[in-house]
Amino acid sequence: MAAAGVVNPGRIAVLTAVMGALTGFAAGWLVGPDSEPVRLTPPAAPAAAASAPLASIEAAPPLVARQVPAPSLADVAGRPDLSALLRAPLSELRHSLQTALHHRADGGWLYARALARQCAALDMVTMRERMMPAELQPVAEVNNLNAQRATALREQLAAGCSQLDPDELQEAINVPPGAADPLIALMDRPAQPGSAEARDRMAAILSRPDPLMLAEMGPALLQRDGEAYVFDGRRYGGEEDRRLIEAAAALLPCSLGMVCDERDAFVWGPCVTDARCEHDSRMAFVLADAGAAEHPERRTQILAWVERLKSAVTSRNVDRFVKPPA
């Protein structure tokens, strides 16, 4: 992390982009080595993910209470389970980041970027506060639960991020075009809806439905026909349909094994940037954003959409996603 009071101009654009991503959750697509890198265990088979109960994506402990083990050091064959890095404690952040970068050829850069964004967000919040006039500084509310949770999370992030130097942070976040990361390359591959290229791209995505990749894609997993989403050969263009699909796309990675509790960016992002710590899980965030409290039927509808998307992903059914010929 940069020393207090020192602003590195080369990081401003990076930090601004990260802050835009984090603070835009509620108004984005939902409406919108110090040590040798660890060897990670292989991911669970798709069938195991498919059998996990959907209700498990709802469960979450208090925001900063859980202590989780570091990634497995088992020496195994096969592709590493990069998602284990997102479950590692913040005290192991530099080790996790270096491990991810060690596995670029397996998609590790995507994970390194996600890990580094936490530090970039904290850096930007600190910079924003430092530049804010004294009279506009927020008053500390020591008895406010949200403020307490935000402070605790920021302290954990600061402790983990203090292990990183600026060069490491920039290497992780500034992924150059054409980088040798198969997940990022797949996400960035151009494909016109309905084309053979789109079908090939979708087949490649479903051949390895990485939860973090799906999380970053969001509803862009589905092809579009104008303003409508296309799925199962049908167009879903109404406002309510789009709301349900976008919410379900946000929850899909959780049902496939991605960490979606207090360690998820949907939870810590708003908390660390704006002390908005109302939610303990992505599920709670998404349902609140979709207005499920005012419209209880949306919860059932959203979860049904999650199951539809999950079924199509785990069965690797390309036909359910591609736009039908005109």
Side-chain angles (χ1 to χ4, degrees):
M1 300 291 286
V6 178
V7 178
N8 184 337
R11 301 171 72 186
I12 299 297
V14 172
L15 299 176
T16 301
V18 170
M19 281 293 291
L22 294 178
T23 58
F25 282 145
W29 58 257
L30 281 180
V31 235
D34 282 341
S35 56
E36 181 68 15
V38 301
R39 295 179 182 271
L40 304 174
T41 56
S51 65
L54 184 63
S56 67
I57 70 178
E58 244 186 306
L63 186 64
V64 295
R66 178 180 294 186
Q67 295 295 320
V68 296
S72 171
L73 302 180
D75 187 2
V76 297
R79 195 165 57 222
D81 178 15
L82 294 169
S83 62
L85 299 174
L86 303 183
R87 298 189 292 272
L90 287 169
S91 60
E92 301 286 337
L93 184 57
R94 187 165 191 259
H95 199 216
S96 297
L97 187 72
Q98 290 295 328
T99 297
L101 290 174
H102 182 72
H103 289 282
R104 287 181 178 89
D106 295 302
W109 217 334
L110 179 66
Y111 281 80
R113 186 171 68 182
L115 292 166
R117 280 174 174 166
Q118 301 173 92
C119 301
L122 179 61
D123 236 9
M124 181 56 100
V125 171
T126 303
M127 183 186 303
R128 182 179 65 183
E129 292 176 349
R130 192 164 57 235
M131 297 172 65
M132 187 180 296
E135 61 272 18
L136 297 180
Q137 291 283 350
V139 178
E141 300 180 63
V142 295
N143 295 321
N144 182 283
L145 181 59
N146 280 349
Q148 292 173 2
R149 295 168 74 187
T151 298
L153 177 55
R154 288 181 60 171
E155 289 175 350
Q156 285 193 346
L157 282 171
C161 295
S162 66
Q163 305 166 14
L164 303 174
D165 61 45
D167 289 341
E168 288 176 309
L169 188 63
Q170 291 198 59
E171 179 185 12
I173 290 182
N174 294 327
V175 182
D181 184 288
L183 299 179
I184 294 176
L186 187 54
M187 291 168 57
D188 293 345
R189 185 193 299 180
Q192 182 69 25
S195 66
E197 291 80 9
R199 187 178 190 87
D200 290 344
R201 177 174 179 266
M202 180 57 64
I205 290 170
L206 298 183
S207 72
R208 182 187 173 182
D210 182 87
L212 181 58
M213 176 179 66
L214 296 178
E216 295 213 2
M217 291 181 68
L221 175 66
L222 279 71
Q223 295 191 48
R224 302 290 291 267
D225 183 6
E227 292 298 313
Y229 291 107
V230 174
F231 187 71
D232 279 342
R234 291 183 53 189
R235 297 176 74 258
Y236 295 90
E239 180 179 352
E240 187 66 13
D241 284 333
R242 292 198 302 269
R243 186 198 308 274
L244 299 177
I245 290 171
E246 289 164 1
L251 294 177
L252 174 64
C254 309
S255 72
L256 295 172
M258 193 180 82
V259 58
C260 288
D261 55 17
E262 76 281 0
R263 295 159 291 181
D264 180 62
F266 274 73
V267 178
W268 66 256
C271 186
V272 73
T273 56
D274 293 307
R276 292 172 48 227
C277 311
E278 297 91 346
H279 308 298
D280 290 331
S281 68
R282 182 180 288 216
M283 167 73 89
F285 178 96
V286 169
L287 291 178
D289 190 73
E294 298 81 8
H295 304 276
E297 72 281 359
R298 286 181 184 164
R299 174 191 175 91
T300 301
Q301 294 167 339
I302 290 169
L303 297 185
W305 262 107
V306 173
E307 287 298 329
R308 291 181 66 183
L309 296 178
K310 179 181 176 183
S311 172
V313 168
T314 57
S315 65
R316 295 175 168 82
N317 195 326
V318 177
D319 289 333
R320 298 185 70 179
F321 287 99
V322 296
K323 179 180 177 181

